[in-house]
Amino acid sequence: MDHGSVDQAPEILLSRFDIEQRVGGLAAEITRDYHGRTPHLVGILKGAWVFMADLIRHIDIDVTVDFLGITSYGSSPHSSGEVKITKDLDSSIEGREVLIVEDILDTGRTLKFLEEVLSVHQPRSLRVVTLLDKRSRRIVPVQADYVGFEIADVFVVGYGLDFDQKYRQLPDVHVLRPVGSR
Ligand code: IMP
Ligand code: MG
């Protein structure tokens, strides 16, 4: 694997076992909260698809799924807040109980954008589940309804999360530090 400008042996922040256990817990909460209803899970591509694939397999009520593709401009680890839609939803969310599935909340700009874009289509309800939350980095005051793990201000990759489109396939969540920083 070409690590480019990054550390050769990134440290594990969350193991696949930690993640599996927490994802099961989130799914149990969602199953309980949406009892008798059929939530419509909207996974945000590309970062959230690994999380979403595991999450839905632990949810014990009917769900439907769709994906919204977005991209932030550039490959910088610090998001500019400018977001572009690369894949629109396939089906209408009007009147649906929409649950946005995100990989990570950082400044909150992306989620703010998503909430604005989706609420225009008048879902019955709009909630958010995120695997990771860097709460200390928040610039826009948004919050998720379900949070897997609150993490410190570090750049993480793996379990769907990338740096410059790489490392998404790692089964654990790793901290990526610039070369020479330790
Ligand atoms: P926000 O708009 O600043 O909240 O950023 C959210 C998006 O930035 C996420 O959906 C990720 O795509 C990306 N991002 C933020 N922090 C990280 C990280 O530590 N690793 C990988 N991607 C990140
Ligand atoms: Mg993302």
Side-chain angles (χ1 to χ4, degrees):
M1 197 183 290
D2 174 20
H3 289 262
S5 63
V6 299
D7 199 300
Q8 293 295 313
E11 74 195 67
I12 290 180
L13 180 68
L14 300 167
S15 75
R16 63 199 75 184
F17 308 107
D18 298 334
I19 296 168
E20 188 183 3
Q21 197 173 35
R22 186 67 190 115
V23 170
L26 289 172
E29 282 182 55
I30 291 165
T31 298
R32 195 185 56 226
D33 293 354
Y34 287 89
H35 180 78
R37 295 180 284 164
T38 302
H40 187 57
L41 274 57
V42 174
I44 308 304
L45 298 174
K46 299 193 274 283
W49 61 272
V50 174
F51 171 43
M52 176 136 149
D54 283 345
L55 184 70
I56 59 166
R57 282 180 285 178
H58 287 98
I59 295 179
D60 222 5
I61 51 174
D62 285 342
V63 300
T64 55
V65 301
D66 202 349
F67 292 94
L68 186 67
I70 60 168
T71 185
S72 315
Y73 291 103
S75 61
S76 153
H78 302 288
S79 67
S80 62
E82 282 184 75
V83 182
K84 185 176 76 171
I85 292 182
T86 57
K87 185 220 162 284
D88 208 343
L89 297 175
D90 289 341
S91 57
S92 168
I93 58 168
E94 192 179 333
R96 297 299 311 274
E97 312 261 12
V98 172
L99 182 59
I100 297 174
V101 182
E102 256 288 30
D103 51 358
I104 186 165
L105 290 191
D106 187 25
T107 65
R109 289 189 181 113
T110 305
L111 181 57
K112 174 116 194 303
F113 169 84
L114 292 170
E115 287 182 334
E116 282 172 5
V117 163
L118 295 181
S119 59
V120 166
H121 299 285
Q122 300 184 309
R124 182 188 179 98
S125 64
L126 184 59
R127 287 190 188 168
V128 181
V129 54
T130 186
L131 179 70
L132 305 175
D133 188 356
K134 290 192 214 174
R135 209 161 293 172
S136 66
R137 293 255 310 160
R138 203 75 91 250
I139 290 171
V140 179
V142 291
Q143 60 182 46
D145 300 276
Y146 306 93
V147 175
F149 301 92
E150 186 174 343
I151 64 168
D153 179 11
V154 288
F155 196 82
V156 291
V157 294
Y159 197 70
L161 290 127
D162 74 305
F163 172 70
D164 208 6
Q165 298 303 324
K166 291 183 292 189
Y167 312 113
R168 294 192 196 275
Q169 82 275 27
L170 300 176
D172 310 288
V173 170
H174 298 252
V175 177
L176 205 57
R177 299 189 196 281
V179 163
S181 70
R182 66 171 197 188

